Amino acid sequence: MQPHEFRRLNAGWASAPDRFCISFDEEDIDDPFSIILSYDGRFPQPWSRTEVPRLIRSITGFGSDETGDPLYAAMSDEGDVYMVRVGGTTHEKIPGAGIYSPDAADRGAVFQILVHQGQLCVVGDRDQVYLQEGDDTWRFLGRKGIAGPDTLGFLSRGGVSAGSGGLLCFGMAVHPTVDGSPEIETAIDEALARQDYDEYARLEDEIAALTPPDEAQTHLWQDGTWARLPMPRDVALRNGFAERADKLWLVGLEGAIFTGNPLDGFEDVSFAGDRDDLYAITRFQNEMIIASGYALHRFDGHILSPMKPPLDPAINGGVPNPMALQTVGDTMFYFDYKHGVCRWDGTTWDWVDIPPELLEREFSGLPSKE
């Protein structure tokens, strides 16, 4: 095994069929380190590399710089935002975000960065939703408004922009833990004293049942306020895609495929026989492409059918492990945790060859793009 082979692709975004940005790391929270690679196929030597002492969890495109080159925003789980451009990388930190950062406000990790009405937006645990309002200026939109006073926090796992229709965030609302009565606590102590572990387990289960289970929820930020959106099924959503501002697609656990918009509502268009958890969706040409944990699928509006890109059998046993899907023009990008980056034009699957030295921790540099 080569030193780079245990690195995992954990974020990616394409700005054009021949331009994209990806990030690899070892998922080591005790030694965070990510390799951000930018690819620009307009040059004979297309690669640029940036190292950061964090675990990058999401990348989005943010237009272009003054020279017309693509600009990417890469975000760590601790709320670091790195603006990756040809001329170098700048860094800023979202105040209060993260777990281990010195300024962490006990809200938890953040998971996704996206663009909402021309502004960078970040979503994460404990009601964390931030809008960038200038360099090093992030507006916190959460705190009670997103989850309500009866919940501990809204554990957001993603979001999608509906433009002027609002910002959707989806995740789980967690209720405060309900403590047992003094009588139950006394009974637990007595059960332990006589080593009656069956009774102890029963009483602990009785206490656990007092706390309502986590609730899958979707919330909408619009005109300065939050509102909970009704969904066809109470199921945890994982990814969204805006075909148009008035036509969103949402996918999630238990085979959930919803389509609609915040104003008119959403309908469940999934097939009852398809119950694999779904994690990514895009539209390519005249069909929807959807990723589950270990497969790609076509969706004809009713059922899922298998889609099988060619895979290297030496990598992950030839099993796909989809991370994200994205369509740019006439090209669909397929980002895979283990296999890397592939472009599909509807006929040919084109796997991008990443030079192994780019994934080494000790890196001596690349020749100029010129």
Side-chain angles (χ1 to χ4, degrees):
M1 176 179 290
Q2 297 297 315
H4 66 269
E5 288 183 355
F6 56 89
R7 301 200 192 282
R8 174 181 169 98
L9 190 156
N10 272 313
W13 184 267
S15 60
D18 60 350
R19 275 155 275 176
F20 60 86
C21 183
I22 52 180
S23 179
F24 291 82
D25 64 66
E26 300 169 12
E27 297 198 303
D28 185 351
I29 61 173
D30 295 320
D31 183 21
F33 176 82
S34 293
I35 298 169
I36 303 173
L37 301 178
S38 299
Y39 179 95
D40 192 330
R42 296 174 298 175
F43 298 94
Q45 193 296 95
W47 296 100
S48 298
R49 168 174 154 147
T50 300
E51 303 171 5
V52 298
R54 291 294 194 191
L55 300 180
I56 297 300
R57 285 296 168 262
S58 183
I59 298 174
T60 191
F62 196 49
S64 56
D65 63 16
E66 58 278 3
T67 67
D69 290 317
L71 180 62
Y72 303 101
M75 182 206 71
S76 80
D77 52 358
E78 292 291 308
D80 302 91
V81 177
Y82 301 90
M83 302 305 296
V84 182
R85 50 172 60 84
V86 172
T89 299
T90 58
H91 166 255
E92 56 188 83
K93 173 68 172 60
I94 301 174
I99 299 174
Y100 305 105
S101 300
D103 68 334
D106 196 30
R107 295 172 185 151
V110 289
F111 297 98
Q112 184 183 0
I113 187 167
L114 65 152
V115 176
H116 175 58
Q117 293 192 290
Q119 293 177 284
L120 286 175
C121 175
V122 166
V123 298
D125 277 347
R126 298 285 184 91
D127 307 347
Q128 289 183 97
V129 183
Y130 305 90
L131 280 178
Q132 187 189 45
E133 297 188 328
D135 292 343
D136 287 314
T137 303
W138 292 84
R139 180 185 174 195
F140 179 53
L141 304 183
R143 185 68 63 194
K144 292 187 178 179
I146 188 170
D150 61 335
T151 59
L152 175 65
F154 184 75
L155 306 184
S156 177
R157 287 298 182 270
V160 60
S161 173
S164 60
L167 170 71
L168 280 74
C169 294
F170 33 83
M172 303 294 291
V174 181
H175 289 270
T177 300
V178 177
D179 295 328
S181 66
E183 292 78 13
I184 291 181
E185 295 294 344
T186 299
I188 286 175
D189 292 340
E190 292 173 349
L192 286 173
R194 63 177 183 269
Q195 298 184 4
D196 186 348
Y197 299 114
D198 288 341
E199 176 65 3
Y200 168 78
R202 187 192 70 78
L203 292 167
E204 286 289 341
D205 289 342
E206 185 177 329
I207 291 177
L210 298 174
T211 300
D214 297 350
E215 295 180 54
Q217 295 186 5
T218 301
H219 294 261
L220 176 72
W221 169 263
Q222 188 178 34
D223 298 329
T225 61
W226 286 103
R228 182 179 176 184
L229 290 179
M231 285 290 147
R233 279 193 281 148
D234 291 330
V235 61
L237 299 174
R238 286 292 182 263
N239 186 243
F241 166 71
E243 184 176 351
R244 303 186 305 268
D246 63 344
K247 188 172 184 180
L248 307 183
W249 293 84
L250 308 175
V251 295
L253 306 189
E254 301 176 24
I257 307 173
F258 304 155
T259 187
N261 62 69
L263 179 62
D264 302 317
F266 289 83
E267 63 174 321
D268 188 348
V269 295
S270 59
F271 175 55
D274 294 327
R275 283 296 177 262
D276 285 347
D277 295 340
L278 305 176
Y279 296 98
I281 182 170
T282 191
R283 185 175 185 87
F284 179 66
Q285 296 179 353
N286 295 318
E287 60 186 351
M288 305 305 297
I289 310 298
I290 296 177
S292 59
Y294 299 100
L296 296 182
H297 313 267
R298 286 184 164 95
F299 180 63
D300 65 2
H302 180 58
I303 62 173
L304 298 173
S305 58
M307 188 178 192
K308 297 183 178 181
L311 300 172
D312 186 344
I315 300 175
N316 201 40
V319 177
N321 196 185
M323 191 274 293
L325 299 169
Q326 185 190 354
T327 298
V328 183
D330 296 329
T331 301
M332 187 189 83
F333 277 79
Y334 164 38
F335 298 99
D336 189 291
Y337 288 110
K338 302 292 182 63
H339 293 270
V341 182
C342 187
R343 296 174 290 194
W344 187 48
D345 62 7
T347 302
T348 303
W349 295 90
D350 175 28
W351 286 97
V352 177
D353 184 21
I354 302 174
E357 61 269 24
L358 282 174
L359 300 180
E360 302 290 350
R361 189 148 184 163
E362 301 298 326
F363 180 64
S364 57
L366 283 166
S368 169
K369 288 185 176 182
E370 301 299 332

